[in-house]
Amino acid sequence: MLAYLIRRFGQSLLVMAVMATIVFFGLYMVGNPVDLLINPEDDLAAQEAAIRRLGLDQPIYIQFLQFLKGIATGNLGVSFVHNTPALELILSRLPATLELAFFAMLLAILLGIPLGMIAGLYPSSPGSRVIMGGSIIGFSTPNFWQGLMLIMLFAVFWRVLPSGGRGQTTDLFGIPVSFLTLDGLKHLILPALNLAIFKIALVIRLSRAGTSEVSLQDYVKYARARGLSEKRIVGVHILKNILIPVVTVLGLELGNVIAFAVVTETVFAWPGIGKLLIDSIGLLDRPVVVAYMMLTVFMFVMINFFVDMAYSMLDPRIRIKAGKS
Amino acid sequence: MSAIPVESPFRRFVEDFVRSPTAVIAAIGVLGIACVAIFAAQIAPQNPYDLAEINIMDGSLPPGSVGFDGFHYWLGTDEQGRDMLSAMIYGLRISLSVSLIAVGSAVAIGMSLGMLAAWSGGRVEAFIMRAVDIQLSFPALLVALLLLAILGKGIDKVIIALVLVQWAYFARTVRGAALVEIRKDYVMAARCLALQPMRILFGHVLPNCLPPVIVIATVQVANAIAIEASLSFLGVGVPITEPSLGLLISNGFGYLLSGRYWISFYPGVVLLVTLVCINVVGDHVRDILNPRMQK
Amino acid sequence: MTAPVLSVRDLVTEFDTRAGALRAVNNVCFDVMPGEVLGIVGESGSGKTITGFSIMQLLDKPGKVKSGEILLNGKDLGRLGDTELRQLRGDRIAMIFQDPMMTLNPVLRIDTQMIETILAHRKVSHAEARQLAEDALAQVGIPSPAERLKTYPHEMSGGMRQRVVIAIALMLEPDLIIADEPTTALDVTIQSQILFEMQRLLSNRNMGLIWITHDLTVVAGLAHKVAVMYAGRIVEFGPVSDLLDRPAHPYTRGLIDSIPSNASHGKRLTQIPGMTPNLLNLGKGCPFRPRCPRASDICASDPETSSTGDGRTVRCHNPIEEGLDDTASAT
């Protein structure tokens, strides 16, 4: 197990290094890094000073090493607009995004798995058809338009929920969160649902396919032959078997949730890193964009790493294989 | 030789396809949408980007209104007095052409790289496939968004971004299918005959890789439309002078809170119908082609 | 006279397929007494497994018991509700499946699966249930049962897993166990171990056992009575030694002759010509007729089941009479 963990961790580091290289040389190939990293509104002397300060007059390989050093030490430049270190800025917005992503995932699991299992257990019932039809629509509609429609219905026509913002926050372990106050919770519902819709549709599909496959297995029939209650058969014997693929895919989708949070945060004016990214792109605040890139790469690599770990915990068969190899 | 009529694969495919009414309706929908996009200039009641035809006095009219000079706005107007119906027809054309060009290019690049990987093996294959893996481990929307953040707005740049995020799907699929094909006896035979590798690949291997590529391309067209719409909504996609459906929705966003829902609503419905139709057709094509592929 | 544990009367099970109703079990009748082992023998597709699942009321769709009675201690299982059936399954009537590799849930530990079975039927504490499970494992000859309980199914061999399944079946002292080819998927050596174990475990219990198999030699060593099935019917029924010594039905005779033995060394093995019939178009008459060496014109009508004394029945127009005929099975 440990050997597997170490090898897998090494792979993650390698991908990080490759991506850092791509981002660095991407900046060189696509445009002049001076344009990207230096505030174009400064005067010429200030720009030259900045060039020297950032080491942009050095040869490329030295700059690359410095870029890597910056990544390793968390120094990814200073935001032109906010005049704070870019990484710090992003990290200060991260809790809002994570809160949103967490609740979206929670909704996806809590709604998607039961609905998918119902559709898998009773494939020809009208309810299942409605569920599957809904999941096709959930899959097909672009996220941002779903968000607009949620706002239109709940905020404009019925006026029951706010259309944007984070609402009142309280500190939990020093981190501001919305879900602990009623006002914050109200602000959280729509964006979380918006971010979750696609995942709900996905989880429904996965759980349905898994349920209909697992229900035919001998061990389910055997569970019935042992006189177990239907509740236990569905809730333990089937659920535990379908959880493996669902958790894997959901884990891999965690990155996608962060990506789509860009859209949801823009629609609902949710002050997370996605909104920060879009604002920074609009304001040409490029250090923030670069910092966002590196942080996302880091997050993705980490997510993939942890999903693999979780997978091997959940499926005892994999654990054995990994241990032997 | 035999008296039994040989059923062509295409005919069998069509026969299988028409068995599902949902798929037929969706296919008709796709055809209809394509026709509307192609003949946009002929169908649209107004050219929404000809300033001579637009009357600023007709701004933000609700659906069904009659304009200042008697023009009937079935789906209302936007804040500049453009007929929404016309704007949507033109927007549909832009959305569809952007995604079709992007997917077409992605198919060409992805297939070439996939076949190259399958044919050459070794380091070339390892390199290409590693790039595919890395590419696919990042969400398409995010990659495209960050690329456009560097490149800037523009239809050509959106297409480049879409190609970049989609080529990997085709490369992976084609490599898989080509590997199966290359190991078959007839390719060995063709190699023994010392046929040109190009001829073997494009004349013999490629046609056998097409079914999965068609399936994935269908789904990826829908994906490309959705990604383009999202990018335009986020303000990094197509420029304001050539608004796609996504940009139309984005333009209406600001007016949504004041109750002028139609500017965002109707383009979204068109987008939704388009995507559902393409996805249903794609799902069905996959179901038909799948068992044969496994054979 | 004791009452039978299980009494099956005129059982008919059908599968509604697109091509019509497929009658997988056709008018099957038999009794199982307490402490008795009934062997059900037949080729694949003869309906023996479906009979087992019909008794359990666990048929996969579109299978359905069309008519007949299945009386467990006098209670008709076909008339019970889902809850009552659930309470009986695993408790009063247990089942052992064919392939131990597929029977146990791969993601649940052995203890979870054993304890949940006990808790579904007995009001005992978790600790008591664990003790019961451990005892049950020890009883079927699994070494260090306490540790074994904590393993996952895939960490055990097929033979071990089948022992676990047997332990689960015996654990709650049911009145009846249905074993559906429990040794078929195992190696021959493991097979004999399991058979030996089964004999030992049954000797001091009063439970009925139905042992479904395609292997007559297994039945010979284990069962008291045998039912031979063909095309969904019981074609011959009787005490095991009597039936194997003097088969009355040409099909039984064919099955016995196709067992390789020392006596036939060097000779071609005899076989039953032809294939098992397609149940969808059986036509009228005896279903074995096309393969039967004794077929005559009368076989165009379906034979009735008739008693031949000594608790034996046979369903044949031209049964093999004692001492008169042993050329019947030649070629």
Side-chain angles (χ1 to χ4, degrees):
Chain A
M1 187 68 193
L2 188 69
Y4 175 66
L5 203 138
I6 291 170
R7 206 184 53 211
R8 191 62 194 70
F9 191 74
Q11 280 173 8
S12 302
L13 281 181
L14 192 71
V15 172
M16 271 298 289
V18 169
M19 290 313 288
T21 316
I22 290 176
V23 169
F24 180 78
F25 287 101
L27 288 177
Y28 269 88
M29 276 186 274
V30 171
N32 184 353
V34 178
D35 298 344
L36 289 173
L37 294 167
I38 292 187
N39 193 342
E41 280 156 27
D42 291 349
D43 62 44
L44 214 62
Q47 284 193 13
E48 295 212 335
I51 286 174
R52 265 196 302 283
R53 182 163 45 83
L54 292 172
L56 292 180
D57 50 351
Q58 304 281 325
I60 282 192
Y61 71 93
I62 295 194
Q63 288 188 37
F64 182 55
L65 288 178
Q66 274 170 345
F67 178 73
L68 289 182
K69 196 178 142 204
I71 291 172
T73 54
N75 174 13
L76 292 168
V78 175
S79 160
F80 301 148
V81 178
H82 301 265
N83 213 9
T84 45
L87 192 64
E88 209 172 281
L89 186 64
I90 290 177
L91 289 179
S92 73
R93 300 286 194 91
L94 193 58
T97 299
L98 291 182
E99 184 181 16
L100 191 60
F102 175 77
F103 277 92
M105 283 299 204
L106 202 64
L107 278 178
I109 290 170
L110 293 184
L111 292 176
I113 292 180
L115 289 176
M117 288 183 83
I118 289 171
L121 289 170
Y122 316 102
S124 47
S125 78
S128 304
R129 279 162 205 265
V130 171
I131 292 171
M132 291 323 290
S135 104
I136 289 184
I137 293 178
F139 244 128
S140 296
T141 5
N143 207 257
F144 68 94
W145 191 69
Q146 288 166 354
L148 293 187
M149 291 306 107
L150 288 177
I151 291 182
M152 188 177 100
L153 291 177
F154 290 94
V156 178
F157 287 167
W158 297 329
R159 300 183 178 282
V160 284
L161 290 168
S163 68
R166 230 187 143 180
Q168 193 188 343
T169 58
T170 41
D171 278 13
L172 183 72
F173 308 120
I175 298 165
V177 291
S178 289
F179 72 98
L180 290 176
T181 64
L182 184 64
D183 181 55
L185 204 57
K186 273 184 172 176
H187 281 82
L188 182 61
I189 292 175
L190 286 187
L193 184 63
N194 178 220
L195 195 51
I197 290 177
F198 189 82
K199 307 298 146 204
I200 295 173
L202 182 72
V203 173
I204 286 178
R205 280 192 168 197
L206 289 172
S207 331
R208 187 191 69 134
T211 305
S212 47
E213 196 194 306
V214 169
S215 327
L216 298 176
Q217 299 293 316
D218 260 7
Y219 54 77
V220 171
K221 207 173 184 184
Y222 179 59
R224 291 216 165 85
R226 281 185 286 145
L228 302 184
S229 65
E230 209 52 27
K231 208 172 86 191
R232 179 143 183 112
I233 292 172
V234 174
V236 177
H237 285 253
I238 296 181
L239 180 66
K240 222 178 161 200
N241 275 285
I242 67 163
L243 266 187
I244 295 168
V246 170
V247 164
T248 317
V249 175
L250 260 192
L252 291 170
E253 287 287 320
L254 190 64
N256 251 320
V257 169
I258 307 266
F260 272 97
V262 174
V263 175
T264 298
E265 287 175 8
T266 307
V267 173
F268 290 91
W270 186 266
I273 56 170
K275 179 114 183 28
L276 177 68
L277 175 70
I278 294 299
D279 292 347
S280 304
I281 291 174
L283 296 167
L284 299 177
D285 195 353
R286 266 126 180 190
V288 181
V289 178
V290 171
Y292 180 92
M293 281 185 193
M294 287 322 301
L295 192 73
T296 353
V297 169
F298 176 73
M299 269 196 307
F300 271 81
V301 169
M302 283 296 113
I303 287 166
N304 283 332
F305 176 72
F306 283 114
V307 166
D308 274 10
M309 290 298 115
Y311 194 88
S312 67
M313 305 276 178
L314 259 180
D315 193 337
R317 286 164 292 188
I318 297 243
R319 205 155 48 198
I320 287 297
K321 255 185 249 153
K324 274 181 190 159
S325 64
Chain B
M1 290 219 300
S2 88
I4 307 158
V6 179
E7 209 182 20
S8 82
F10 180 72
R11 199 166 143 197
R12 233 165 77 189
F13 175 81
V14 172
E15 274 169 12
D16 279 347
F17 192 88
V18 295
R19 234 172 259 156
S20 156
T22 332
V24 172
I25 294 170
I28 293 171
V30 170
L31 283 181
I33 289 162
C35 286
V36 169
I38 293 168
F39 300 108
Q42 285 73 37
I43 294 172
Q46 189 191 61
N47 181 350
Y49 303 105
D50 180 0
L51 290 175
E53 285 187 46
I54 302 169
N55 193 335
I56 195 79
M57 300 294 282
D58 290 345
S60 301
L61 290 177
S65 304
V66 178
F68 193 69
D69 47 8
F71 194 87
H72 209 120
Y73 298 112
W74 294 106
L75 298 179
T77 62
D78 69 4
E79 75 283 8
Q80 291 169 340
R82 281 195 195 107
D83 176 36
M84 280 312 295
L85 180 63
S86 308
M88 279 160 50
I89 293 173
Y90 276 82
L92 184 66
R93 169 143 90 176
I94 292 168
S95 290
L96 282 187
S97 42
V98 165
S99 51
L100 284 177
I101 295 171
V103 172
S105 320
V107 167
I109 294 172
M111 276 185 96
S112 315
L113 288 174
M115 296 230 289
L116 179 67
W119 185 258
S120 36
R123 286 220 180 128
V124 177
E125 183 182 33
F127 181 76
I128 293 175
M129 294 327 288
R130 192 91 334 233
V132 166
D133 286 347
I134 293 180
Q135 173 70 63
L136 292 181
S137 70
F138 291 91
L141 179 67
L142 202 61
V143 174
L145 177 66
L146 292 172
L147 193 70
L148 287 172
I150 295 170
L151 292 177
K153 276 188 194 181
I155 284 193
D156 48 343
K157 286 157 189 163
V158 171
I159 292 174
I160 292 174
L162 287 174
V163 171
L164 185 87
V165 298
Q166 294 201 325
W167 70 274
Y169 294 99
F170 299 105
R172 188 171 60 176
T173 312
V174 167
R175 174 186 163 263
L179 274 183
V180 173
E181 249 2 89
I182 283 172
R183 293 204 187 105
K184 285 187 183 161
D185 288 346
Y186 77 89
V187 174
M188 200 44 96
R191 272 182 146 166
C192 293
L193 288 172
L195 290 182
Q196 289 284 315
M198 281 299 149
R199 225 175 115 191
I200 302 173
L201 275 178
F202 287 93
H204 299 269
V205 178
L206 182 72
N208 284 296
C209 304
L210 280 180
V213 170
I214 291 170
V215 172
I216 292 179
T218 321
V219 179
Q220 288 304 331
V221 167
N223 264 341
I225 294 175
I227 293 174
E228 181 278 318
S230 303
L231 292 171
S232 298
F233 174 79
L234 293 172
V236 293
V238 298
I240 200 92
T241 49
E242 291 163 293
S244 63
L245 289 173
L247 195 57
L248 290 177
I249 298 171
S250 174
N251 287 341
F253 183 28
Y255 301 92
L256 190 68
L257 292 178
S258 54
R260 279 171 278 177
Y261 66 90
W262 57 89
I263 308 177
S264 279
F265 180 73
Y266 290 113
V269 172
V270 173
L271 198 53
L272 169 64
V273 171
T274 308
L275 296 178
V276 169
C277 285
I278 298 177
N279 279 336
V280 169
V281 170
D283 271 9
H284 197 63
V285 170
R286 185 190 54 207
D287 290 349
I288 298 174
L289 291 180
N290 238 346
R292 306 243 164 104
M293 277 154 55
Q294 282 160 3
K295 234 191 308 188
Chain C
M1 192 183 153
T2 49
V5 186
L6 178 79
S7 184
V8 174
R9 289 282 161 270
D10 299 318
L11 176 68
V12 176
T13 301
E14 285 186 350
F15 286 74
D16 284 321
T17 65
R18 255 183 257 164
L22 186 153
R23 189 163 281 206
V25 177
N26 194 344
N27 280 315
V28 161
C29 301
F30 58 81
D31 286 344
V32 181
M33 294 296 174
E36 185 177 76
V37 179
L38 169 72
I40 299 184
V41 186
E43 292 167 281
S44 17
S46 61
K48 55 194 193 307
T49 298
I50 303 297
T51 305
F53 281 113
S54 300
I55 297 168
M56 293 296 286
Q57 306 281 325
L58 274 178
L59 288 165
D60 286 325
K61 279 176 196 167
K64 214 175 169 230
V65 174
K66 283 279 163 181
S67 60
E69 285 179 327
I70 301 159
L71 303 167
L72 182 75
N73 294 323
K75 241 191 260 175
D76 189 349
L77 297 181
R79 286 166 199 239
L80 295 184
D82 285 345
T83 320
E84 290 166 290
L85 273 175
R86 188 189 70 67
Q87 284 164 351
L88 285 178
R89 284 186 206 129
D91 185 18
R92 294 299 88 219
I93 173 167
M95 189 154 181
I96 300 168
F97 282 44
Q98 176 168 1
D99 189 351
M101 299 301 192
M102 312 291 285
T103 311
L104 293 164
N105 194 324
V107 298
L108 297 175
R109 287 196 332 201
I110 302 295
D111 54 357
T112 317
Q113 302 194 47
M114 293 187 84
I115 291 169
E116 69 182 358
T117 314
I118 300 169
L119 294 181
H121 300 290
R122 297 276 186 280
K123 284 192 173 138
V124 293
S125 72
H126 203 274
E128 287 169 302
R130 171 173 293 273
Q131 190 55 50
L132 197 57
E134 198 181 317
D135 295 346
L137 283 191
Q139 221 170 28
V140 296
I142 289 181
S144 52
E147 276 110 79
R148 278 299 176 181
L149 271 179
K150 289 184 192 133
T151 57
Y152 285 93
H154 65 88
E155 297 171 62
M156 290 182 165
S157 67
M160 273 298 169
R161 286 192 227 186
Q162 200 60 302
R163 280 170 198 257
V164 171
V165 173
I166 290 168
I168 293 176
L170 293 169
M171 199 164 53
L172 295 170
E173 305 272 330
D175 301 320
L176 178 73
I177 295 180
I178 300 172
D180 180 17
E181 307 218 30
T183 55
T184 310
L186 302 174
D187 286 347
V188 183
T189 47
I190 310 291
Q191 192 173 334
S192 53
Q193 279 176 25
I194 298 268
L195 281 176
F196 174 77
E197 208 68 58
M198 248 357 242
Q199 271 172 327
R200 183 178 68 81
L201 291 164
L202 286 171
S203 58
N204 49 4
R205 281 169 214 254
N206 213 22
M207 58 180 74
L209 172 68
I210 297 178
W211 192 277
I212 299 169
T213 178
H214 63 268
D215 190 345
L216 269 178
T217 50
V218 169
V219 160
L222 190 69
H224 303 108
K225 285 190 210 153
V226 187
V228 180
M229 282 190 81
Y230 188 79
R233 311 135 199 259
I234 293 184
V235 292
E236 189 167 8
F237 184 89
V240 64
S241 51
D242 197 22
L243 187 140
L244 292 180
D245 287 348
R246 298 179 295 116
H249 198 284
Y251 177 64
T252 314
R253 181 64 193 251
L255 280 182
I256 294 170
D257 286 347
S258 55
I259 300 169
S261 68
N262 282 337
S264 60
H265 182 80
K267 282 198 257 170
R268 264 182 88 96
L269 287 174
T270 42
Q271 58 172 7
I272 304 174
M275 311 234 289
T276 46
N278 179 351
L279 291 177
L280 270 175
N281 46 23
L282 271 184
K284 283 184 184 148
C286 176
F288 189 56
R289 182 176 40 137
R291 303 168 73 185
C292 182
R294 299 170 64 86
S296 61
D297 290 347
I298 192 175
C299 300
S301 72
D302 201 0
E304 293 290 316
T305 303
S306 55
S307 172
T308 55
D310 303 330
R312 292 187 57 173
T313 61
V314 61
R315 192 169 178 172
C316 182
H317 287 299
N318 301 320
I320 304 160
E321 310 275 338
E322 200 179 335
L324 280 179
D325 197 323
D326 13 68
T327 56
S329 63
T331 50

